[in-house]
Amino acid sequence: MKKLLLLCGVALILSGCAIKGDFKLGINSDKNVDFGITLAYDDELIEALMSMGSTDETSEVTEYTDEQKWEFVDTLFVSEDGSSPESLGFTGERYQEEDYKGYTYTKNVGDIDSITADDASFNLTSDYLEISESKLFAKNGDNYVSKITFTPAEETEGYQIESNITFTVTLPNKPISHTVDSVSEVG
């Protein structure tokens, strides 16, 4: 996970590159919770990261094959100790859309009460791989309250990265209150 966060930080110093992330949390009527995440990098970012790690010191621009890019992307989702989202109970599959390559990982984390504590908060930037051990909700009577935050890395002056990060929560009932940007027609 540290490797992934480092890459997000490195991505901020690269100009014209893009990353997309889609976090999904679904709470079913039987109180089971499903979590999913899609992280993908555009080809320009992948090539820049590959070039940064290259030992070839020629000024010649290297052209990477699609297979080489996928091999590199595969390494982005494995931590230094060799653990991967799969080793943490996630199911993964490759994600490709236009010039983006990455993975979608999903996991059923069990009953909502198993991820509930008296004072719960969840930070998407650091807690998502350990979601089974994280406490996402606090119970208030018959209601569940969540303090989910996302803290994007700070942009470095003079450098840009296009990022598209979404977080979607699907509930079995309409929320009593919220501070989100939008709510679907069905609540």
Side-chain angles (χ1 to χ4, degrees):
M1 184 169 79
K2 289 179 184 176
K3 184 186 237 181
L4 187 58
L5 292 175
L6 176 64
L7 285 173
C8 289
V10 168
L12 289 175
I13 64 172
L14 301 171
S15 178
C17 300
I19 186 171
K20 96 170 42 172
D22 185 20
F23 297 85
K24 293 183 180 184
L25 182 69
I27 304 169
N28 304 310
S29 59
D30 66 358
K31 295 175 65 174
N32 259 310
V33 178
D34 296 311
F35 182 76
I37 178 174
T38 299
L39 284 176
Y41 307 89
D42 75 351
D43 282 341
E44 189 174 340
L45 177 57
I46 293 168
E47 290 171 4
L49 292 170
M50 290 174 74
S51 294
M52 288 173 64
S54 173
T55 56
D56 182 13
E57 296 192 15
T58 64
S59 60
E60 191 175 308
V61 175
T62 304
E63 299 234 356
Y64 298 101
T65 67
D66 211 42
E67 183 178 330
Q68 289 171 314
K69 291 176 194 175
W70 272 112
E71 287 173 7
F72 180 77
V73 168
D74 289 343
T75 67
L76 298 178
F77 294 92
V78 177
S79 68
E80 291 175 11
D81 67 1
S83 64
S84 66
E86 287 89 353
S87 68
L88 297 169
F90 284 85
T91 301
E93 65 180 49
R94 279 186 172 178
Y95 169 88
Q96 184 167 3
E97 183 180 313
E98 297 173 3
D99 291 337
Y100 285 87
K101 292 174 181 53
Y103 275 87
T104 296
Y105 291 101
T106 57
K107 181 178 186 175
N108 179 286
V109 294
D111 188 284
I112 191 171
D113 292 324
S114 68
I115 54 174
T116 300
D118 290 337
D119 184 27
S121 68
F122 182 74
N123 188 334
L124 282 173
T125 47
S126 61
D127 297 336
Y128 68 90
L129 284 179
E130 289 90 16
I131 192 165
S132 297
E133 292 78 37
S134 299
K135 302 301 178 188
L136 292 163
F137 300 94
K139 196 162 185 181
N140 184 2
D142 290 335
N143 299 315
Y144 293 90
V145 178
S146 181
K147 295 179 186 175
I148 299 172
T149 59
F150 173 70
T151 309
E154 293 181 21
E155 290 193 32
T156 304
E157 187 176 322
Y159 298 100
Q160 292 181 332
I161 182 168
E162 183 180 326
S163 62
N164 181 6
I165 308 295
T166 60
F167 184 71
T168 306
V169 178
T170 304
L171 303 171
N173 304 308
K174 286 189 176 186
I176 294 170
S177 66
H178 63 81
T179 59
V180 299
D181 294 335
S182 65
V183 177
S184 71
E185 290 179 23
V186 293

